[in-house]
Amino acid sequence: MNIPKIPLGEWVDSFVAWLTIALGGLFTFITNVIDGLLDIIVNVLSVGPPVVLILILTLLVTYTSRWPLGVFTLISLLLIDNLGYWDSSIQTLAIVLLSGLLTIVIGVPLGIWCSQRKTVQSIVTPILDFMQTMPAFVYLIPSILFFGIGVVPGIIASFIFAIAPTIRMTNLGIQKVPNDLIEAANAFGSSTSQRLFKVQLPLATPTIMAGINQSIMLALSMVVTASLVGAPGLGADVYRAVSQIDVGQGFEAGLSIVFIAIVLDRITQNLRNPAYRHAVKPKIAFSILALLIVVTAIVVTIFEGKGAVNGDANGIGAQVDYEIVGIEPGAGLMELTNTALKDYELDDWTLLEGSSAAMVAQLQKAITNQEPIIITGWSPHWMFSSFDLKYLDDPKGSFGGAEDIHTVVRKGLEQDAPGAYRILDQFSWEPSDMEVVMVDITDGMDPSEAAEKWINANPDKVSEWTKGAQSGNGERIKLVYVAWDTEIASTNVIGKVLEQNGYKVTLSQVEVGPMFAGVANGSADAMVGAWLPTTHAEYYNTYKNDIVDLGRNLHGTKNGLVVPEYVDIDSVEDLK
């Protein structure tokens, strides 16, 4: 069909851009409120040594679900503390609790409204269908633009993803109240509110609680996804383990999530009918717990305010909340940045983990609003062509000098596909070539089309890569790459060249660790994105005996801290 493509994506982009500007004040207010609430929850959960919270949760689980589960809770939480994931668990628990609180505050009233108005139900139901079927990752994209990088977009995305069961089950529970009871209430002259609060809600409570339980579990399932935009906690630990192919760390962090899920599930399932309600009345037990939480929150808030450090409010640190926006936790650039923080004694600064896309989104938002921002940057990258940026001087050399990008292939490729091996071996281009492809992709062109456009415009360079290489006969070549703009550009270009020379090419996007591991174990044939000798040194040293390094395909890369030109600092030392 020759029907022109409907520019739906462009319309959505324009709408989101308009919302970001038009409702910027509202988004800032929501961000501040959520950040404040999260800080309070974290501070309350962190009061005293870990054993204090462990004992409280153990008693709560025992009261609601009997002593065997209480013993399990005690052992599992002590194990989490022993493994070193207690602080991450506190962050995760706080995120889930806040997401659950938002779900209850907004979801239950919406569910009640749906049960009382058929028109509202008809409108809300398809929206909930859309929310539940849309991939959770999609919610992160506008969340970054609206709320920036960090924990807030993660909480918002978790809330959107998890709210549907609460609304549906609240609506269902109220509608399933027997009609004869409704008629009896009406016969006694009950008003609408009396009928709702005295008859319908009490009878629907078990169903509503089941919906809240499911929402909390869904929110917990989002913790790993939320780590892509900088949300802390166990999700970030799992993401870091995946990036670094650290099986042990991944298992430990994943097991900690399982323990927390079990504890939360048992508490919420039995909250209405505690196992030992005959020994201690629920009203008394939960009133004591609520009073303890409120008093602790007040005391912690007061002492935190008194203990605040009076720094330079006009300094760059205060302007950016002492945060540096980073990328994937497994990236070598992140390790270099952590080294720089130690070298320059920047103890008050925090390096936010997330993703390259989240970092760029935050940069674009800051530049649009002319706000200060510090990011981890590298070149070549299209952002240097699109924005007026500068590297901060690195007098201590923490980020090293210029690097090269190498082509790495699996052992045996030369014998299995000699033509492809030769093309990959002869592949070499300049940063300026790569930036042309990156800019086209950033402007909306499909990566494959951008690669083909560059190939057609540079036949002489391509002929140097294919010189003396025999054509393929449909042999399959699998290329792996990290979702960095540089690697998307280079992998698509070399992939298109291989296709034009008779090979059937598959491109697979992975994290850094799996990229090296895939080539080393033969599940992938090649990659053209190994940054050496610094950024990917750890992975290269781990797998160097199982891979073939064909040498550099690009020279002149650079790593460091990057700021917009309008930010009035010039060196990493200015961050002190």
Side-chain angles (χ1 to χ4, degrees), residues 207-538:
T207 306
I208 295 173
M209 290 302 298
I212 293 173
N213 172 268
Q214 290 303 305
S215 291
I216 291 176
M217 292 300 102
L218 286 175
L220 185 58
S221 72
M222 278 286 290
V223 296
V224 177
T225 303
S227 66
L228 295 173
V229 293
L234 293 170
D237 293 323
V238 172
Y239 183 29
R240 190 179 303 111
V242 172
S243 301
Q244 299 173 348
I245 311 295
D246 192 333
V247 180
Q249 180 182 347
F251 179 80
E252 291 174 350
L255 188 64
S256 300
I257 293 176
V258 171
F259 288 153
I260 290 177
I262 294 173
V263 170
L264 291 177
D265 179 64
R266 295 304 181 267
I267 291 175
T268 54
Q269 274 192 6
N270 303 305
L271 202 58
R272 185 170 176 267
N273 293 305
Y276 294 108
R277 59 186 179 278
H278 302 299
V280 181
K281 292 183 178 180
K283 286 185 178 180
I284 296 176
F286 295 136
S287 295
I288 293 174
L289 180 62
L291 181 63
L292 180 64
I293 293 172
V294 171
V295 171
T296 304
I298 293 174
V299 173
V300 166
T301 303
I302 293 174
F303 276 93
E304 183 183 344
K306 290 182 178 180
V309 178
N310 295 321
D312 182 6
N314 297 319
I316 184 62
Q319 294 176 34
V320 298
D321 294 327
Y322 292 93
E323 293 178 343
I324 297 171
V325 181
I327 54 174
E328 293 80 3
L333 177 55
M334 296 292 282
E335 185 63 32
L336 293 175
T337 305
N338 280 317
T339 299
L341 293 179
K342 294 177 182 177
D343 292 344
Y344 290 93
E345 299 179 352
L346 302 175
D347 300 329
D348 295 331
W349 287 79
T350 300
L351 176 60
L352 298 179
E353 296 178 344
S355 63
S356 304
M359 178 271 289
V360 172
Q362 186 73 352
L363 174 65
Q364 290 175 316
K365 180 180 179 181
I367 290 178
T368 299
N369 299 322
Q370 288 291 291
E371 296 173 346
I373 186 173
I374 303 172
I375 65 171
T376 55
W378 66 94
S379 53
H381 194 289
W382 63 265
M383 62 184 177
F384 288 95
S385 300
S386 301
F387 307 120
D388 198 5
L389 306 173
K390 63 182 178 181
Y391 279 100
L392 296 182
D393 293 335
D394 178 24
K396 295 187 177 182
S398 300
F399 289 95
E403 284 194 287
D404 297 328
I405 303 180
H406 285 223
T407 300
V408 175
V409 302
R410 65 172 174 84
K411 288 185 175 181
L413 181 64
E414 185 175 10
Q415 291 74 36
D416 298 338
Y421 180 91
R422 189 176 185 90
I423 292 172
L424 288 164
D425 190 24
Q426 296 177 162
F427 170 55
S428 178
W429 60 346
E430 301 296 327
S432 57
D433 298 319
M434 180 183 282
E435 287 177 353
V436 170
V437 182
M438 286 193 291
V439 169
D440 284 337
I441 295 173
T442 304
D443 290 340
M445 186 178 294
D446 183 86
S448 179
E449 294 178 6
E452 190 168 5
K453 176 184 174 183
W454 185 90
I455 291 171
N456 293 334
N458 296 272
D460 293 339
K461 290 187 178 181
V462 175
S463 65
E464 290 295 324
W465 305 346
T466 60
K467 185 178 180 180
Q470 67 183 59
S471 298
N473 294 310
E475 294 97 328
R476 294 180 179 273
I477 301 295
K478 184 175 182 179
L479 303 178
V480 286
Y481 66 99
V482 181
W484 296 355
D485 299 276
T486 48
E487 306 345 308
I488 293 174
S490 59
T491 307
N492 274 275
V493 167
I494 194 63
K496 184 65 67 175
V497 171
L498 289 170
E499 284 183 352
Q500 293 176 354
N501 282 269
Y503 295 94
K504 188 173 183 179
V505 180
T506 302
L507 308 184
S508 297
Q509 177 184 316
V510 294
E511 293 298 330
V512 180
M515 179 174 70
F516 276 86
V519 176
N521 64 30
S523 58
D525 294 301
M527 60 175 170
V528 292
W531 289 56
L532 299 171
T534 304
T535 302
H536 292 156
E538 180 180 353

Side-chain angles (χ1 to χ4, degrees), residues 24-340:
L26 175 62
F27 295 141
T28 300
F29 172 76
I30 294 174
T31 300
N32 293 334
V33 169
I34 292 178
D35 268 333
L37 289 174
L38 186 68
D39 287 341
I40 292 174
I41 295 174
V42 170
N43 290 334
V44 169
L45 295 176
S46 302
V47 168
V51 69
V52 174
L53 182 59
I54 290 174
L55 291 176
I56 291 174
L57 289 176
T58 299
L59 290 173
L60 182 58
V61 173
T62 301
Y63 176 68
T64 58
S65 308
R66 297 193 178 278
W67 68 265
L69 280 171
V71 173
F72 170 82
T73 300
L74 178 63
I75 295 174
S76 61
L77 294 181
L78 287 174
L79 179 60
I80 290 175
D81 185 34
N82 176 263
L83 294 175
Y85 293 96
W86 184 254
D87 290 339
S88 295
S89 297
I90 291 296
Q91 292 283 352
T92 296
L93 192 58
I95 292 172
V96 173
L97 289 176
L98 184 52
S99 299
L101 177 63
L102 293 175
T103 296
I104 295 171
V105 170
I106 297 177
V108 172
L110 271 177
I112 294 173
W113 195 17
C114 289
S115 69
Q116 304 299 309
R117 297 286 187 272
K118 292 294 183 182
T119 303
V120 176
Q121 181 179 343
S122 299
I123 296 173
V124 172
T125 298
I127 296 176
L128 295 179
D129 294 338
F130 176 85
M131 290 166 59
Q132 286 188 292
T133 52
M134 178 66 72
F137 285 93
V138 177
Y139 298 133
L140 298 177
I141 304 172
S143 296
I144 297 170
L145 298 175
F146 295 155
F147 305 104
I149 196 172
V151 70
V152 176
I155 291 176
I156 295 296
S158 299
F159 159 73
I160 296 173
F161 181 70
I163 194 174
T166 297
I167 298 175
R168 290 186 188 277
M169 298 298 278
T170 300
N171 178 32
L172 178 64
I174 294 175
Q175 289 188 351
K176 291 300 181 180
V177 173
N179 288 329
D180 54 348
L181 295 179
I182 301 297
E183 292 172 359
N186 291 334
F188 281 101
S190 299
S191 64
T192 301
S193 60
Q194 288 175 328
R195 185 172 65 248
L196 175 64
F197 288 102
K198 298 294 185 179
V199 179
Q200 291 174 305
L201 282 180
L203 293 173
T205 299
T207 306
I208 295 173
M209 290 302 298
I212 293 173
N213 172 268
Q214 290 303 305
S215 291
I216 291 176
M217 292 300 102
L218 286 175
L220 185 58
S221 72
M222 278 286 290
V223 296
V224 177
T225 303
S227 66
L228 295 173
V229 293
L234 293 170
D237 293 323
V238 172
Y239 183 29
R240 190 179 303 111
V242 172
S243 301
Q244 299 173 348
I245 311 295
D246 192 333
V247 180
Q249 180 182 347
F251 179 80
E252 291 174 350
L255 188 64
S256 300
I257 293 176
V258 171
F259 288 153
I260 290 177
I262 294 173
V263 170
L264 291 177
D265 179 64
R266 295 304 181 267
I267 291 175
T268 54
Q269 274 192 6
N270 303 305
L271 202 58
R272 185 170 176 267
N273 293 305
Y276 294 108
R277 59 186 179 278
H278 302 299
V280 181
K281 292 183 178 180
K283 286 185 178 180
I284 296 176
F286 295 136
S287 295
I288 293 174
L289 180 62
L291 181 63
L292 180 64
I293 293 172
V294 171
V295 171
T296 304
I298 293 174
V299 173
V300 166
T301 303
I302 293 174
F303 276 93
E304 183 183 344
K306 290 182 178 180
V309 178
N310 295 321
D312 182 6
N314 297 319
I316 184 62
Q319 294 176 34
V320 298
D321 294 327
Y322 292 93
E323 293 178 343
I324 297 171
V325 181
I327 54 174
E328 293 80 3
L333 177 55
M334 296 292 282
E335 185 63 32
L336 293 175
T337 305
N338 280 317
T339 299

Side-chain angles (χ1 to χ4, degrees), residues 316-317 344 346 349 373-374 388-396 399 558-576:
I316 184 62
Y344 290 93
L346 302 175
W349 287 79
I373 186 173
I374 303 172
D388 198 5
L389 306 173
K390 63 182 178 181
Y391 279 100
L392 296 182
D393 293 335
D394 178 24
K396 295 187 177 182
F399 289 95
K558 185 177 181 180
N559 294 308
L561 297 183
V562 175
V563 298
E565 278 287 352
Y566 58 76
V567 177
D568 191 22
I569 56 172
D570 298 300
S571 173
V572 180
E573 292 183 325
D574 295 335
L575 303 182
K576 292 183 179 180

